[in-house]
Amino acid sequence: MSDKTEETWRRDFPIQWGADNYVTRREFTKFLVLVSGAACAGNGYFVFQKYQKRNQSFPSLEIGSINELAPGQVKLFHYPDEEEPALLIRLQNGEFVAYKQHCTHLSCPVHFVSASSRLECPCHNGAFDAVNGSVLEGPPPRPLPRITLRIENERIFAEGVQGS
Amino acid sequence: MRRPDTRLAQLEQRTQSVLTLMIMALVILLIQLWLLTISLEEFMAARSTLAIPTFAASGFCLLINLWLLRYLNRVDKKEDGQ
């Protein structure tokens, strides 16, 4: 291509790569600042949740009686609302404990294995200690949320959720 | 009227300045995303001790980014005024 032809081409299409790069990078920097604001707002959301949770109250719900379950048996109930399945377990020593049924890994339902006194998740072989809900093995990153119980006149009441 | 090569050189300089600002904003944003993951992990574990410190740190990062944006706009206006 001769110099004269190239000059004609440049006159017809006067695009400067430098100017184009400048505008692109400037606009991208502005976009980054916008995303930065969104990230800060995200952090603010968790602060908001912190204060909202502090004021959160759980209902007191009767979930059964102590004669309903023999040691090693389990009962399914829902707490604090109908969409939250939970397990009431009577341990071999006669003590009652209750946990939310969702595995802390990917929310598969856990089931109680009386022989080993564990709550096991069939999806990825996670296991929790039935005594305190702590992780024994597998991928779950956190213990099972524990439901606070109160026993009054042989009746069992759910009173709140710890670690949810 | 300025010569085209001078104008191009100035444009190149401005582009480099913007590139530097862009990299700084990007690094700060990565720090903010890291802070956000810390908050999220705390929230999922039903803890909230780090919620306020991470929010404060993220707010500080946002202030730096806003200062960078102000600086960028000032560079723009300065160049347009010439």
Side-chain angles (χ1 to χ4, degrees):
Chain A
M1 190 185 286
S2 69
D3 287 347
K4 194 176 179 184
T5 314
E6 188 177 333
E7 278 174 12
T8 310
W9 179 86
R10 283 197 182 281
R11 205 166 47 241
D12 288 343
F13 301 96
I15 297 167
Q16 291 179 349
W17 284 110
D20 190 41
N21 284 341
Y22 174 72
V23 172
T24 310
R25 288 170 194 182
R26 186 188 63 190
E27 293 307 311
F28 185 62
T29 307
K30 287 179 180 176
F31 174 72
L32 287 179
V33 176
L34 184 71
V35 178
S36 169
C40 187
N43 271 100
Y45 171 77
F46 293 119
V47 174
F48 173 72
Q49 284 292 323
K50 176 183 178 171
Y51 287 104
Q52 204 179 34
K53 264 194 172 179
R54 192 174 283 179
N55 300 325
Q56 187 182 18
S57 61
F58 290 97
S60 181
L61 181 73
E62 184 176 348
I63 54 174
S65 68
I66 57 171
N67 300 320
E68 238 179 284
L69 299 176
Q73 285 192 322
V74 63
K75 180 186 179 183
L76 180 71
F77 66 101
H78 293 85
Y79 187 81
D81 53 53
E82 281 301 309
E83 291 174 6
E84 299 275 353
L87 294 173
L88 172 67
I89 302 164
R90 188 165 193 181
L91 301 173
Q92 292 297 342
N93 62 8
E95 189 187 340
F96 286 92
V97 288
Y99 301 100
K100 282 197 174 182
Q101 204 190 6
H102 289 152
C103 177
T104 53
H105 179 220
L106 290 175
S107 295
C108 288
V110 296
H111 64 272
F112 178 59
V113 180
S114 177
S116 56
S117 192
R118 294 171 8 143
L119 290 144
E120 293 183 351
C121 176
C123 293
H124 303 97
N125 297 324
F128 303 87
D129 190 346
V131 176
N132 52 23
S134 61
V135 180
L136 294 175
E137 61 185 55
R142 292 174 294 279
L144 278 179
R146 186 170 182 164
I147 294 170
T148 313
L149 299 176
R150 178 171 59 87
I151 299 175
E152 192 178 303
N153 297 329
E154 299 193 343
R155 294 187 302 170
I156 304 169
F157 295 87
E159 298 262 286
V161 184
Q162 297 172 339
S164 64
Chain B
M1 189 179 169
R2 275 178 293 183
R3 289 174 57 190
D5 54 343
T6 312
R7 197 169 60 85
L8 279 174
Q10 282 184 341
L11 184 64
E12 185 65 28
Q13 196 179 8
R14 282 168 65 189
T15 306
Q16 287 300 320
S17 302
V18 171
L19 181 65
T20 309
L21 291 175
M22 188 182 82
I23 290 169
M24 286 172 73
L26 193 61
V27 169
I28 290 168
L29 179 62
L30 287 175
I31 292 169
Q32 281 187 293
L33 291 177
W34 175 65
L35 291 168
L36 191 61
T37 57
I38 291 174
S39 287
L40 180 64
E41 183 60 31
E42 283 267 304
F43 177 72
M44 296 297 284
R47 295 191 303 262
S48 56
T49 47
L50 289 176
I52 292 175
T54 50
F55 177 58
S58 189
F60 181 68
C61 289
L62 177 62
L63 284 178
I64 296 174
N65 265 344
L66 287 173
W67 181 81
L68 289 178
L69 184 67
R70 186 166 162 262
Y71 182 76
L72 183 71
N73 286 335
R74 210 161 49 188
V75 168
D76 264 352
K77 280 179 187 170
K78 191 178 166 187
E79 292 297 325
D80 290 343
Q82 279 184 354

